[in-house]
Amino acid sequence: MKVLVVGGGGREHALCWAIAASPLCEALYCAPGNAGIAKEATCVPIPAEDVEGLLAFARAEAIDFVVVGPEAPLVAGLIDRLSDAGIKAFGPSAAAAELEGSKGFMKDLCAANGIPTARYRRFTEPEAAKAFARELGAPVVVKADGLAAGKGVTVCPDLETAEGAIDEALVGGRFGAAGAEVVVEDFLDGEEVSFFALVDGTTALPLASAQDHKAAFDGDRGPNTGGMGAYSPAPIVTPELEARIMAEIVGPTAEALQAMGRPYRGVLFAGLMISPEGDPKVVEFNVRFGDPECEVLVTRLMSDLLPALVATAEGQLSHLTLRWLDSAAISVVVATKGYPGAYEKDSVIRGLDTAGADENVEIFHAGTASNEAGETLATGGRVLAVTATAPSLAEAQTKAYTAIDLLDWPEGFCRRDIGWRALGG
Ligand code: AMP
Ligand code: GLY
């Protein structure tokens, strides 16, 4: 099977690492990939958002199966274009990807189907939005409706912040068309978990549990990021809670989309808040793997990932079971100093081979390139996802930080406390 993975981050490196190990994979391409992915796949310089370019490449190379990592090409209809061209692909159609592409759509779907989520309303008029924020009272959350590169959500501790966020989106046009409508919703208290399930239209198969750390700095302080680290399993997701999440959230969501004529095929990522009473509520849906959650999931997966992705695309999930390692995995993101704000590009990272020498450590690249001298350069905010597996989470954490300490990259930084909730730190 000739496989094309779309994307160029740590998630796509992890996907390529797992797919390259499959006996079913004869040739592996990644668009655009990065310096780490180039060790697993042939990288082709087509941006992940270039739907027509990707389609043309898949046709020209007679690709058998396309795996799409990020949300933007899914929302833009890459899967629809590939399937019209007779090319099999993993990921939801544009119609199903609206679950992530429009927060208003997702909230309406939850409301119409009794799926637990925060109380909300949708607005295009700033004054009406502010009146509703006052009605809910602080803290309150303001969300741009569309995709805003992870910056569209403002958790507002007071009404002043909420009014500012509403004006920025609806009056100032900060998010362009993505913020021409906002959702104003109740703040949910509790512990966040990332829940993943493969969904093939009708059948949903839960994956191992994971939790990420969104704040930039230790102690969950500082600005929100795409994720500074993740671990699996997440002890908060007991078998009982998993059963409830499947019955109350994942199942009804898949059924609702099916009934709307938008069957969901792909990985459904439910960002959940577990209330202090232990009840799960949907914070958001994503239509892709989380990053760096994907890194910990694939390193714990014993089964071959590729046939699981194919079975999802073909509606054959009811025939599939997945086996997971009993061990724990942790992934620590090493980012360029300054991230998520402004940062310098193209500093040289040394010591990667030494740091990654342990057979239970994988250094997934999130934002790197090679220069002509063969050196690895940091090209992004999140640059590496250093991922370790071990019998216990505590040992995995030690292994990940031991590896990081062997890196020679003064321009990088990482959180030192990834996994603290599960380790009782
Ligand atoms: P998103 O950009 O949709 O991933 O949201 C960013 C983060 O904002 C989430 O991971 C939560 O930590 C937080 N958040 C979003 N909505 C709520 C809510 N209703 N209550 C509490 N926190 C929220
Ligand atoms: N780590 C969270 C995300 O991928 O959205």
Side-chain angles (χ1 to χ4, degrees):
M1 192 177 250
K2 284 175 94 172
V3 182
L4 168 66
V5 171
V6 175
R11 166 182 52 210
E12 288 76 23
H13 191 177
L15 292 171
C16 285
W17 176 82
I19 292 169
S22 170
L24 295 175
C25 179
E26 286 154 4
L28 180 60
Y29 299 89
C30 186
N34 63 37
I37 292 174
K39 299 208 167 87
E40 309 285 355
T42 305
C43 294
V44 284
I46 307 171
E49 298 75 29
D50 181 1
V51 170
E52 296 311 316
L54 292 165
L55 179 65
F57 176 81
R59 273 200 172 120
E61 290 296 329
I63 297 291
D64 299 298
F65 192 55
V66 180
V67 178
V68 183
E71 64 278 12
L74 294 168
V75 172
L78 177 58
I79 298 294
D80 309 69
R81 299 281 287 136
L82 290 166
S83 100
D84 288 348
I87 300 167
K88 211 180 293 171
F90 177 83
S93 65
E98 231 190 312
L99 211 49
E100 179 167 0
S102 165
K103 304 237 187 246
F105 173 82
M106 166 267 175
K107 297 292 292 189
D108 287 351
L109 181 137
C110 287
N113 294 280
I115 297 163
T117 189
R119 206 177 135 208
Y120 78 104
R121 274 177 58 191
R122 307 171 67 168
F123 297 95
T124 52
E125 292 298 324
E127 292 317 312
K130 289 175 194 175
F132 185 64
R134 281 194 294 276
E135 190 184 321
L136 289 178
V140 64
V141 184
V142 177
K143 303 182 168 183
D145 182 73
L147 295 184
K151 300 201 164 45
V153 173
T154 315
V155 178
C156 312
D158 49 55
L159 288 173
E160 218 183 339
T161 311
E163 294 188 355
I166 289 166
D167 280 338
E168 265 185 0
L170 294 183
V171 184
R174 178 175 170 207
F175 306 108
E181 181 176 328
V182 296
V183 167
V184 177
E185 71 177 35
D186 245 342
F187 175 81
L188 296 174
D189 199 17
E191 189 170 335
E192 257 185 287
V193 300
S194 303
F195 191 89
F196 299 90
L198 296 177
V199 181
D200 72 355
T202 47
T203 301
L205 182 68
L207 302 182
S209 61
Q211 202 158 357
D212 83 342
H213 295 256
K214 288 225 165 81
F217 309 129
D218 284 16
D220 286 333
R221 282 183 242 277
N224 242 1
T225 70
M228 292 302 287
Y231 56 93
S232 174
I236 186 174
V237 185
T238 58
E240 295 72 33
L241 182 60
E242 177 184 296
R244 278 192 65 189
I245 293 167
M246 290 301 289
E248 295 171 24
I249 293 169
V250 176
T253 302
E255 279 164 31
L257 287 165
Q258 180 87 19
M260 291 168 86
R262 307 181 185 216
Y264 191 96
R265 287 189 201 93
V267 59
L268 181 63
F269 167 3
L272 304 174
M273 195 67 84
I274 313 301
S275 74
E277 297 75 38
D279 298 319
K281 283 191 175 170
V282 179
V283 173
E284 57 169 346
F285 279 122
N286 297 304
V287 298
R288 52 175 173 81
F289 281 104
D291 190 354
E293 290 95 324
C294 186
E295 288 87 316
V296 289
L297 292 181
V298 300
T299 47
R300 287 194 62 220
L301 183 64
M302 282 169 82
S303 306
D304 189 344
L305 177 67
L306 184 54
L309 302 181
V310 173
T312 305
E314 290 183 337
Q316 298 291 326
L317 267 187
S318 57
H319 305 294
L320 194 91
T321 48
L322 291 174
R323 295 181 62 212
W324 299 89
L325 291 171
D326 279 335
S327 52
I330 194 158
S331 185
V332 179
V333 169
V334 193
T336 310
K337 283 176 185 163
Y339 173 79
Y343 54 84
E344 301 250 324
K345 282 194 172 184
D346 295 338
S347 54
V348 179
I349 307 167
R350 296 191 173 85
L352 281 163
D353 288 343
T354 320
D358 188 318
E359 63 172 350
N360 294 313
V361 171
E362 296 300 329
I363 301 186
F364 295 119
H365 290 219
T368 63
S370 295
N371 65 11
E372 280 169 12
E375 293 171 314
T376 304
L377 306 180
T379 56
R382 294 192 294 173
V383 173
L384 302 170
V386 178
T387 308
T389 50
S392 72
L393 193 60
E395 290 163 281
Q397 189 195 46
T398 304
K399 242 182 217 307
Y401 285 114
T402 303
I404 286 173
D405 290 339
L406 292 169
L407 287 172
D408 176 8
W409 183 36
E411 292 82 1
F413 82 99
C414 67
R415 279 183 57 164
R416 283 271 153 193
D417 62 347
I418 299 302
W420 69 268
R421 272 182 199 278
L423 292 168

